[in-house]
Amino acid sequence: MNEQPHVVVAVALAFSVPVAALGAVVLHRMRRRSITAAVTVLVLVPVLAALVGVIGVSGFMYTPLLAGAVVVCAAVAVVTVPAAMMLGRGIASDVMWLHEARDAERTAEASRRELVAWISHDLRTPLAGIRAMSEALADGVVAEPDEVADYARRIRGETVRLSGMVDDLFQLSRITSGALQLTLSAVPLHDVVSEAVAVEGVAAARKGVVVRADVHGTWPVVRGSDPELARVVRNLLSNAIRHTPPDGSVVVMAGVSGDKAWLRVDDACGGIPEEDLDRVFDVAFRGVTARTPEERSGGGLGLAIARGLVKAHDGDIHACNHGPGCRFEVFLPLATTAGAES
């Protein structure tokens, strides 16, 4: 091969450039498809371009140079193609994770905005009422003892409502920030439910709703934190009472399934639309179709808090339609002799 160096370079470029251009076109068409395939093509294009360039320089004749180039290109391909495929899978996994993280961040941001909007609205109403009533008392517009006592009672009621909403926000912030620390022990579910039924039964009786715990069956002992489990049961009962019409009933049951304890709260709300079943535990979500909320319902945080507390216990919670209403079912780990204290 006696060609001048610049001739060899020109011939090599004349054969290898079209291969590189074809590879660029293929990569362009694959930019929205498999990342693994695109990376593999990216690795193969230089190898094929080099091989075609050597073939062109050899004049399509078998020479020692051509044989050596084929062997080298084959060896490079054997090494780089598997590496490119592994790299492509890694990049695809990272890209997928980034997309999922971005989607989760957008969902969380939308949830935060919705929460701020709901809480701002719910805070504004009682605050406006407290301001109006306090101004009426200060200006002497209300002077009769009975009227003053009524205003004071209403101001206290709005204050209690605001305090509950602030407490819900604080609890939710502890759950979402990971600051919640549980002191686990063996907790009898019967004791937790009995106390919650006694507390929430007052509001239920005032509305004409019957709340009762099923005395039949087995009431298990679970591994959990007594105050947080009581909060879960009270939130579920409060939600059930709020959406159950007068003369309806709310029933609490418990039992054991495998290595898990279960707790069910059945109400008579009329059912939850199927498209809302997966959203009832979202922050600030309020059903408005079959489950018509009361005018003075909470900030939409009760079920979100219940889910967070159940998850903190390594448990699970879900909702489904059942009979005349819906059922909220909680699964919790059973207490064991070893490891009941933590």
PDB file of all heavy atoms in Angstrom, residues 261-288:
ATOM      1  N   ALA A 261     -53.478  -8.359  63.106  1.00  0.00           N
ATOM      2  CA  ALA A 261     -54.763  -8.027  63.720  1.00  0.00           C
ATOM      3  C   ALA A 261     -55.494  -7.067  62.792  1.00  0.00           C
ATOM      4  O   ALA A 261     -54.872  -6.257  62.109  1.00  0.00           O
ATOM      5  CB  ALA A 261     -54.543  -7.370  65.074  1.00  0.00           C
ATOM      6  N   TRP A 262     -56.815  -7.194  62.740  1.00  0.00           N
ATOM      7  CA  TRP A 262     -57.578  -6.271  61.905  1.00  0.00           C
ATOM      8  C   TRP A 262     -58.634  -5.558  62.740  1.00  0.00           C
ATOM      9  O   TRP A 262     -59.146  -6.085  63.724  1.00  0.00           O
ATOM     10  CB  TRP A 262     -58.227  -6.970  60.709  1.00  0.00           C
ATOM     11  CG  TRP A 262     -59.109  -8.142  61.040  1.00  0.00           C
ATOM     12  CD1 TRP A 262     -58.776  -9.460  61.022  1.00  0.00           C
ATOM     13  CD2 TRP A 262     -60.500  -8.095  61.419  1.00  0.00           C
ATOM     14  NE1 TRP A 262     -59.849 -10.238  61.372  1.00  0.00           N
ATOM     15  CE2 TRP A 262     -60.925  -9.434  61.625  1.00  0.00           C
ATOM     16  CE3 TRP A 262     -61.417  -7.070  61.603  1.00  0.00           C
ATOM     17  CZ2 TRP A 262     -62.219  -9.764  61.997  1.00  0.00           C
ATOM     18  CZ3 TRP A 262     -62.710  -7.394  61.990  1.00  0.00           C
ATOM     19  CH2 TRP A 262     -63.102  -8.715  62.174  1.00  0.00           C
ATOM     20  N   LEU A 263     -58.896  -4.331  62.326  1.00  0.00           N
ATOM     21  CA  LEU A 263     -59.914  -3.502  62.976  1.00  0.00           C
ATOM     22  C   LEU A 263     -60.776  -2.888  61.885  1.00  0.00           C
ATOM     23  O   LEU A 263     -60.251  -2.300  60.932  1.00  0.00           O
ATOM     24  CB  LEU A 263     -59.267  -2.403  63.811  1.00  0.00           C
ATOM     25  CG  LEU A 263     -60.216  -1.380  64.443  1.00  0.00           C
ATOM     26  CD1 LEU A 263     -60.935  -2.010  65.635  1.00  0.00           C
ATOM     27  CD2 LEU A 263     -59.464  -0.129  64.889  1.00  0.00           C
ATOM     28  N   ARG A 264     -62.107  -3.025  62.007  1.00  0.00           N
ATOM     29  CA  ARG A 264     -63.015  -2.509  60.989  1.00  0.00           C
ATOM     30  C   ARG A 264     -63.970  -1.502  61.599  1.00  0.00           C
ATOM     31  O   ARG A 264     -64.474  -1.701  62.703  1.00  0.00           O
ATOM     32  CB  ARG A 264     -63.819  -3.640  60.357  1.00  0.00           C
ATOM     33  CG  ARG A 264     -62.989  -4.628  59.560  1.00  0.00           C
ATOM     34  CD  ARG A 264     -63.818  -5.836  59.157  1.00  0.00           C
ATOM     35  NE  ARG A 264     -63.023  -6.831  58.455  1.00  0.00           N
ATOM     36  CZ  ARG A 264     -63.388  -8.096  58.297  1.00  0.00           C
ATOM     37  NH1 ARG A 264     -64.545  -8.522  58.791  1.00  0.00           N
ATOM     38  NH2 ARG A 264     -62.606  -8.941  57.657  1.00  0.00           N
ATOM     39  N   VAL A 265     -64.213  -0.440  60.856  1.00  0.00           N
ATOM     40  CA  VAL A 265     -65.217   0.556  61.225  1.00  0.00           C
ATOM     41  C   VAL A 265     -66.204   0.645  60.074  1.00  0.00           C
ATOM     42  O   VAL A 265     -65.860   1.109  58.982  1.00  0.00           O
ATOM     43  CB  VAL A 265     -64.584   1.932  61.505  1.00  0.00           C
ATOM     44  CG1 VAL A 265     -65.662   2.956  61.828  1.00  0.00           C
ATOM     45  CG2 VAL A 265     -63.589   1.839  62.659  1.00  0.00           C
ATOM     46  N   ASP A 266     -67.438   0.191  60.306  1.00  0.00           N
ATOM     47  CA  ASP A 266     -68.491   0.227  59.290  1.00  0.00           C
ATOM     48  C   ASP A 266     -69.452   1.375  59.606  1.00  0.00           C
ATOM     49  O   ASP A 266     -69.868   1.544  60.757  1.00  0.00           O
ATOM     50  CB  ASP A 266     -69.273  -1.090  59.274  1.00  0.00           C
ATOM     51  CG  ASP A 266     -68.428  -2.243  58.761  1.00  0.00           C
ATOM     52  OD1 ASP A 266     -67.319  -1.988  58.264  1.00  0.00           O
ATOM     53  OD2 ASP A 266     -68.868  -3.401  58.885  1.00  0.00           O
ATOM     54  N   ASP A 267     -69.796   2.149  58.582  1.00  0.00           N
ATOM     55  CA  ASP A 267     -70.746   3.237  58.786  1.00  0.00           C
ATOM     56  C   ASP A 267     -71.921   3.091  57.831  1.00  0.00           C
ATOM     57  O   ASP A 267     -72.029   2.103  57.113  1.00  0.00           O
ATOM     58  CB  ASP A 267     -70.065   4.608  58.637  1.00  0.00           C
ATOM     59  CG  ASP A 267     -69.467   4.820  57.245  1.00  0.00           C
ATOM     60  OD1 ASP A 267     -70.016   4.268  56.271  1.00  0.00           O
ATOM     61  OD2 ASP A 267     -68.462   5.538  57.127  1.00  0.00           O
ATOM     62  N   ALA A 268     -72.796   4.091  57.831  1.00  0.00           N
ATOM     63  CA  ALA A 268     -73.973   4.085  56.955  1.00  0.00           C
ATOM     64  C   ALA A 268     -73.988   5.355  56.126  1.00  0.00           C
ATOM     65  O   ALA A 268     -74.995   6.039  56.004  1.00  0.00           O
ATOM     66  CB  ALA A 268     -75.254   3.965  57.786  1.00  0.00           C
ATOM     67  N   CYS A 269     -72.837   5.665  55.523  1.00  0.00           N
ATOM     68  CA  CYS A 269     -72.676   6.933  54.803  1.00  0.00           C
ATOM     69  C   CYS A 269     -73.347   6.939  53.440  1.00  0.00           C
ATOM     70  O   CYS A 269     -73.455   7.986  52.802  1.00  0.00           O
ATOM     71  CB  CYS A 269     -71.193   7.256  54.641  1.00  0.00           C
ATOM     72  SG  CYS A 269     -70.330   6.113  53.539  1.00  0.00           S
ATOM     73  N   GLY A 270     -73.749   5.782  52.951  1.00  0.00           N
ATOM     74  CA  GLY A 270     -74.323   5.715  51.613  1.00  0.00           C
ATOM     75  C   GLY A 270     -73.342   5.287  50.555  1.00  0.00           C
ATOM     76  O   GLY A 270     -73.691   5.131  49.387  1.00  0.00           O
ATOM     77  N   GLY A 271     -72.086   5.094  50.946  1.00  0.00           N
ATOM     78  CA  GLY A 271     -71.074   4.625  49.994  1.00  0.00           C
ATOM     79  C   GLY A 271     -70.188   5.736  49.480  1.00  0.00           C
ATOM     80  O   GLY A 271     -70.528   6.915  49.522  1.00  0.00           O
ATOM     81  N   ILE A 272     -69.039   5.340  48.989  1.00  0.00           N
ATOM     82  CA  ILE A 272     -68.057   6.261  48.414  1.00  0.00           C
ATOM     83  C   ILE A 272     -67.978   5.995  46.915  1.00  0.00           C
ATOM     84  O   ILE A 272     -67.901   4.839  46.501  1.00  0.00           O
ATOM     85  CB  ILE A 272     -66.668   6.042  49.046  1.00  0.00           C
ATOM     86  CG1 ILE A 272     -66.745   6.208  50.566  1.00  0.00           C
ATOM     87  CG2 ILE A 272     -65.644   7.009  48.470  1.00  0.00           C
ATOM     88  CD1 ILE A 272     -65.443   5.876  51.277  1.00  0.00           C
ATOM     89  N   PRO A 273     -68.025   7.012  46.083  1.00  0.00           N
ATOM     90  CA  PRO A 273     -67.855   6.779  44.642  1.00  0.00           C
ATOM     91  C   PRO A 273     -66.564   6.016  44.365  1.00  0.00           C
ATOM     92  O   PRO A 273     -65.538   6.274  44.998  1.00  0.00           O
ATOM     93  CB  PRO A 273     -67.801   8.205  44.058  1.00  0.00           C
ATOM     94  CG  PRO A 273     -68.544   9.040  45.059  1.00  0.00           C
ATOM     95  CD  PRO A 273     -68.255   8.432  46.395  1.00  0.00           C
ATOM     96  N   GLU A 274     -66.636   5.078  43.441  1.00  0.00           N
ATOM     97  CA  GLU A 274     -65.495   4.217  43.169  1.00  0.00           C
ATOM     98  C   GLU A 274     -64.245   5.015  42.825  1.00  0.00           C
ATOM     99  O   GLU A 274     -63.136   4.647  43.213  1.00  0.00           O
ATOM    100  CB  GLU A 274     -65.822   3.250  42.019  1.00  0.00           C
ATOM    101  CG  GLU A 274     -66.869   2.202  42.365  1.00  0.00           C
ATOM    102  CD  GLU A 274     -66.392   1.253  43.443  1.00  0.00           C
ATOM    103  OE1 GLU A 274     -65.173   0.979  43.508  1.00  0.00           O
ATOM    104  OE2 GLU A 274     -67.228   0.784  44.231  1.00  0.00           O
ATOM    105  N   GLU A 275     -64.410   6.120  42.100  1.00  0.00           N
ATOM    106  CA  GLU A 275     -63.244   6.898  41.701  1.00  0.00           C
ATOM    107  C   GLU A 275     -62.605   7.632  42.873  1.00  0.00           C
ATOM    108  O   GLU A 275     -61.480   8.136  42.772  1.00  0.00           O
ATOM    109  CB  GLU A 275     -63.613   7.918  40.613  1.00  0.00           C
ATOM    110  CG  GLU A 275     -64.644   8.964  41.028  1.00  0.00           C
ATOM    111  CD  GLU A 275     -66.077   8.511  40.811  1.00  0.00           C
ATOM    112  OE1 GLU A 275     -66.291   7.285  40.617  1.00  0.00           O
ATOM    113  OE2 GLU A 275     -66.968   9.369  40.841  1.00  0.00           O
ATOM    114  N   ASP A 276     -63.310   7.700  44.018  1.00  0.00           N
ATOM    115  CA  ASP A 276     -62.774   8.403  45.187  1.00  0.00           C
ATOM    116  C   ASP A 276     -62.192   7.466  46.230  1.00  0.00           C
ATOM    117  O   ASP A 276     -61.584   7.940  47.209  1.00  0.00           O
ATOM    118  CB  ASP A 276     -63.872   9.250  45.852  1.00  0.00           C
ATOM    119  CG  ASP A 276     -64.294  10.433  44.991  1.00  0.00           C
ATOM    120  OD1 ASP A 276     -63.530  10.776  44.067  1.00  0.00           O
ATOM    121  OD2 ASP A 276     -65.371  10.996  45.241  1.00  0.00           O
ATOM    122  N   LEU A 277     -62.354   6.165  46.061  1.00  0.00           N
ATOM    123  CA  LEU A 277     -61.901   5.223  47.089  1.00  0.00           C
ATOM    124  C   LEU A 277     -60.404   5.327  47.338  1.00  0.00           C
ATOM    125  O   LEU A 277     -59.947   5.173  48.477  1.00  0.00           O
ATOM    126  CB  LEU A 277     -62.262   3.791  46.683  1.00  0.00           C
ATOM    127  CG  LEU A 277     -63.710   3.370  46.957  1.00  0.00           C
ATOM    128  CD1 LEU A 277     -63.977   1.985  46.374  1.00  0.00           C
ATOM    129  CD2 LEU A 277     -64.017   3.387  48.446  1.00  0.00           C
ATOM    130  N   ASP A 278     -59.631   5.569  46.286  1.00  0.00           N
ATOM    131  CA  ASP A 278     -58.179   5.656  46.448  1.00  0.00           C
ATOM    132  C   ASP A 278     -57.738   7.041  46.931  1.00  0.00           C
ATOM    133  O   ASP A 278     -56.552   7.249  47.186  1.00  0.00           O
ATOM    134  CB  ASP A 278     -57.471   5.347  45.115  1.00  0.00           C
ATOM    135  CG  ASP A 278     -57.670   3.896  44.696  1.00  0.00           C
ATOM    136  OD1 ASP A 278     -57.883   3.059  45.591  1.00  0.00           O
ATOM    137  OD2 ASP A 278     -57.618   3.610  43.482  1.00  0.00           O
ATOM    138  N   ARG A 279     -58.679   7.973  47.055  1.00  0.00           N
ATOM    139  CA  ARG A 279     -58.296   9.341  47.421  1.00  0.00           C
ATOM    140  C   ARG A 279     -58.763   9.740  48.814  1.00  0.00           C
ATOM    141  O   ARG A 279     -58.418  10.831  49.277  1.00  0.00           O
ATOM    142  CB  ARG A 279     -58.890  10.333  46.407  1.00  0.00           C
ATOM    143  CG  ARG A 279     -58.458  10.116  44.966  1.00  0.00           C
ATOM    144  CD  ARG A 279     -59.060  11.196  44.083  1.00  0.00           C
ATOM    145  NE  ARG A 279     -58.677  12.521  44.537  1.00  0.00           N
ATOM    146  CZ  ARG A 279     -59.357  13.637  44.264  1.00  0.00           C
ATOM    147  NH1 ARG A 279     -60.473  13.553  43.552  1.00  0.00           N
ATOM    148  NH2 ARG A 279     -58.951  14.798  44.715  1.00  0.00           N
ATOM    149  N   VAL A 280     -59.530   8.893  49.481  1.00  0.00           N
ATOM    150  CA  VAL A 280     -60.113   9.303  50.763  1.00  0.00           C
ATOM    151  C   VAL A 280     -59.054   9.577  51.815  1.00  0.00           C
ATOM    152  O   VAL A 280     -59.314  10.305  52.781  1.00  0.00           O
ATOM    153  CB  VAL A 280     -61.108   8.249  51.286  1.00  0.00           C
ATOM    154  CG1 VAL A 280     -62.327   8.172  50.389  1.00  0.00           C
ATOM    155  CG2 VAL A 280     -60.433   6.880  51.414  1.00  0.00           C
ATOM    156  N   PHE A 281     -57.855   9.003  51.657  1.00  0.00           N
ATOM    157  CA  PHE A 281     -56.798   9.227  52.635  1.00  0.00           C
ATOM    158  C   PHE A 281     -55.865  10.360  52.231  1.00  0.00           C
ATOM    159  O   PHE A 281     -54.891  10.631  52.936  1.00  0.00           O
ATOM    160  CB  PHE A 281     -55.986   7.945  52.846  1.00  0.00           C
ATOM    161  CG  PHE A 281     -56.794   6.808  53.409  1.00  0.00           C
ATOM    162  CD1 PHE A 281     -57.217   5.774  52.596  1.00  0.00           C
ATOM    163  CD2 PHE A 281     -57.145   6.781  54.749  1.00  0.00           C
ATOM    164  CE1 PHE A 281     -57.956   4.713  53.109  1.00  0.00           C
ATOM    165  CE2 PHE A 281     -57.891   5.737  55.270  1.00  0.00           C
ATOM    166  CZ  PHE A 281     -58.304   4.708  54.449  1.00  0.00           C
ATOM    167  N   ASP A 282     -56.135  11.015  51.105  1.00  0.00           N
ATOM    168  CA  ASP A 282     -55.309  12.136  50.686  1.00  0.00           C
ATOM    169  C   ASP A 282     -55.554  13.341  51.581  1.00  0.00           C
ATOM    170  O   ASP A 282     -56.663  13.554  52.073  1.00  0.00           O
ATOM    171  CB  ASP A 282     -55.598  12.522  49.232  1.00  0.00           C
ATOM    172  CG  ASP A 282     -55.130  11.461  48.257  1.00  0.00           C
ATOM    173  OD1 ASP A 282     -54.397  10.544  48.697  1.00  0.00           O
ATOM    174  OD2 ASP A 282     -55.488  11.533  47.067  1.00  0.00           O
ATOM    175  N   VAL A 283     -54.509  14.137  51.749  1.00  0.00           N
ATOM    176  CA  VAL A 283     -54.618  15.330  52.583  1.00  0.00           C
ATOM    177  C   VAL A 283     -55.643  16.286  51.982  1.00  0.00           C
ATOM    178  O   VAL A 283     -55.629  16.583  50.789  1.00  0.00           O
ATOM    179  CB  VAL A 283     -53.247  16.037  52.681  1.00  0.00           C
ATOM    180  CG1 VAL A 283     -53.395  17.375  53.395  1.00  0.00           C
ATOM    181  CG2 VAL A 283     -52.268  15.156  53.432  1.00  0.00           C
ATOM    182  N   ALA A 284     -56.571  16.743  52.819  1.00  0.00           N
ATOM    183  CA  ALA A 284     -57.576  17.748  52.462  1.00  0.00           C
ATOM    184  C   ALA A 284     -58.625  17.241  51.487  1.00  0.00           C
ATOM    185  O   ALA A 284     -59.413  18.036  50.974  1.00  0.00           O
ATOM    186  CB  ALA A 284     -56.921  19.015  51.885  1.00  0.00           C
ATOM    187  N   PHE A 285     -58.668  15.935  51.221  1.00  0.00           N
ATOM    188  CA  PHE A 285     -59.711  15.432  50.326  1.00  0.00           C
ATOM    189  C   PHE A 285     -61.024  15.320  51.085  1.00  0.00           C
ATOM    190  O   PHE A 285     -61.077  14.835  52.212  1.00  0.00           O
ATOM    191  CB  PHE A 285     -59.337  14.069  49.757  1.00  0.00           C
ATOM    192  CG  PHE A 285     -60.437  13.465  48.928  1.00  0.00           C
ATOM    193  CD1 PHE A 285     -60.661  13.912  47.639  1.00  0.00           C
ATOM    194  CD2 PHE A 285     -61.259  12.489  49.449  1.00  0.00           C
ATOM    195  CE1 PHE A 285     -61.688  13.367  46.868  1.00  0.00           C
ATOM    196  CE2 PHE A 285     -62.287  11.938  48.702  1.00  0.00           C
ATOM    197  CZ  PHE A 285     -62.496  12.387  47.407  1.00  0.00           C
ATOM    198  N   ARG A 286     -62.108  15.757  50.442  1.00  0.00           N
ATOM    199  CA  ARG A 286     -63.429  15.665  51.037  1.00  0.00           C
ATOM    200  C   ARG A 286     -64.396  15.161  49.982  1.00  0.00           C
ATOM    201  O   ARG A 286     -64.507  15.738  48.909  1.00  0.00           O
ATOM    202  CB  ARG A 286     -63.912  17.033  51.529  1.00  0.00           C
ATOM    203  CG  ARG A 286     -63.059  17.598  52.656  1.00  0.00           C
ATOM    204  CD  ARG A 286     -63.433  19.023  52.922  1.00  0.00           C
ATOM    205  NE  ARG A 286     -62.678  19.566  54.040  1.00  0.00           N
ATOM    206  CZ  ARG A 286     -62.762  20.831  54.431  1.00  0.00           C
ATOM    207  NH1 ARG A 286     -63.551  21.663  53.800  1.00  0.00           N
ATOM    208  NH2 ARG A 286     -62.049  21.256  55.454  1.00  0.00           N
ATOM    209  N   GLY A 287     -65.071  14.074  50.275  1.00  0.00           N
ATOM    210  CA  GLY A 287     -66.066  13.574  49.334  1.00  0.00           C
ATOM    211  C   GLY A 287     -67.305  14.424  49.366  1.00  0.00           C
ATOM    212  O   GLY A 287     -67.725  14.904  50.415  1.00  0.00           O
ATOM    213  N   VAL A 288     -67.909  14.651  48.207  1.00  0.00           N
ATOM    214  CA  VAL A 288     -69.093  15.508  48.160  1.00  0.00           C
ATOM    215  C   VAL A 288     -70.262  14.863  47.422  1.00  0.00           C
ATOM    216  O   VAL A 288     -71.308  15.478  47.284  1.00  0.00           O
ATOM    217  CB  VAL A 288     -68.764  16.858  47.472  1.00  0.00           C
ATOM    218  CG1 VAL A 288     -67.763  17.626  48.302  1.00  0.00           C
ATOM    219  CG2 VAL A 288     -68.205  16.635  46.071  1.00  0.00           C
TER     220      VAL A 288
END
